[in-house]
Amino acid sequence: MEESIRNVLEQYGIDDVFGPVFDPYFTRHTFTPGERICTQGEQAERLFVLIEGKLKISTTSPEGKRLVLSFKHPLDLIGDIEYVQRTDLMNTVEAVTPVTVLGIPYEALVKHGSDDPVLLRFLLETITQKFFLKSNSLSFNLLYPVEVRLASYLLSMTPIGEVLEEMALSDVADLIGTSYRHLNRVLRDFEQDGLIERRRGSVRLLDRSALQMRAGNNIYE
């Protein structure tokens, strides 16, 4: 039997943030790996609470270059900045693993939470943390070598025991902020060192421990 939304909120300790008055507005949504939860530039209409799975957050520059910012785990929010700033979606959010989120329309938050100090404090804390992490992510992509960025990306995109269905290398290069040629060279080095196996358009991690050593502290997690 599916756990009630109120029980989920209690499980994550945010039942006081979203009191019973919000219960009629919450809906549960599931996404499969690779599916988009929201797309940068689209109109933001609801707040999502991540309760299961892993998300990839990326941004696209005006020139069309994409860059991965971070990977998110429960408990996290999607659409909180857009709710406060009344802006369109700032980033693209995709499921890496099977994902479950709780959604609540902005209208409900405005109606029942615009003057709620507990909710407003919660949003303030989550938003300030996100700006801090985003600043770090952009710095990481400038300061860390491609080997570290690629190792971190592979670890984040490939849960233990799973295979990464390989994207076009140009897409991966954009996401970690490097060139197609450099990325291909590093992938060949990883394969020669026995860290990964590339076959039929997929990447299998053969030695996670060695990749973790290359990554250090995974810069995207």
Side-chain angles (χ1 to χ4, degrees):
M1 183 176 178
E2 192 172 61
E3 190 173 12
S4 73
I5 289 176
R6 176 53 44 186
N7 287 341
V8 172
L9 296 176
E10 292 175 356
Q11 175 188 339
Y12 283 104
I14 56 172
D15 51 309
D16 59 332
V17 176
F18 300 101
V21 68
F22 292 111
D23 286 358
Y25 302 98
F26 269 113
T27 52
R28 193 186 309 256
H29 308 264
T30 59
F31 300 88
T32 58
E35 191 174 359
R36 286 190 177 185
I37 289 81
C38 55
T39 301
Q40 181 178 343
E42 290 183 349
Q43 183 178 358
E45 297 179 345
R46 63 183 60 227
L47 179 75
F48 290 112
V49 182
L50 174 63
I51 59 171
E52 291 180 1
K54 179 192 286 191
L55 298 174
K56 179 174 70 176
I57 315 298
S58 63
T59 188
T60 303
S61 72
E63 297 76 27
K65 292 288 186 179
R66 292 190 300 155
L67 188 68
V68 63
L69 297 176
S70 62
F71 290 80
K72 298 295 185 182
H73 305 264
L75 177 80
D76 214 309
L77 301 182
I78 307 163
D80 47 350
I81 298 174
E82 291 82 354
Y83 168 69
V84 172
Q85 293 293 323
R86 299 296 192 270
T87 63
D88 292 336
L89 291 162
M90 298 174 60
N91 301 311
T92 294
V93 182
E94 301 171 70
V96 176
T97 65
V99 160
T100 302
V101 298
L102 303 181
I104 183 167
Y106 287 164
E107 291 86 347
L109 296 176
V110 171
K111 181 178 181 180
H112 298 289
S114 58
D115 296 319
D116 184 341
V118 177
L119 174 60
L120 294 177
R121 180 178 178 83
F122 178 69
L123 291 174
L124 175 63
E125 290 174 350
T126 58
I127 289 171
T128 52
Q129 182 183 35
K130 283 186 176 182
F131 278 119
F132 174 76
L133 292 175
K134 183 172 183 178
S135 176
N136 280 348
S137 295
L138 294 173
S139 298
F140 286 148
N141 277 284
L142 293 174
L143 298 175
Y144 280 84
V146 173
E147 290 80 359
V148 172
R149 282 177 265 159
L150 180 58
S152 295
Y153 184 80
L154 291 174
L155 288 167
S156 294
M157 286 295 294
T158 313
I160 294 175
E162 295 190 19
V163 176
L164 173 63
E165 296 300 328
E166 189 175 8
M167 299 168 57
L169 292 185
S170 58
D171 289 338
V172 178
D174 280 350
L175 285 168
I176 66 171
T178 189
S179 68
Y180 168 88
R181 181 174 296 179
H182 196 169
L183 175 72
N184 202 34
R185 183 164 61 247
V186 175
L187 282 171
R188 286 200 307 267
D189 290 343
F190 281 3
E191 190 166 26
Q192 290 171 1
D193 292 342
L195 306 183
I196 65 171
E197 178 184 44
R198 297 169 68 187
R199 184 193 303 176
R200 295 179 182 176
S202 66
V203 174
R204 180 184 298 275
L205 274 57
L206 301 179
D207 193 336
R208 293 188 71 91
S209 296
L211 269 176
Q212 287 168 345
M213 291 182 64
R214 297 284 181 98
N217 293 322
N218 189 331
I219 65 175
Y220 297 125
E221 299 276 356

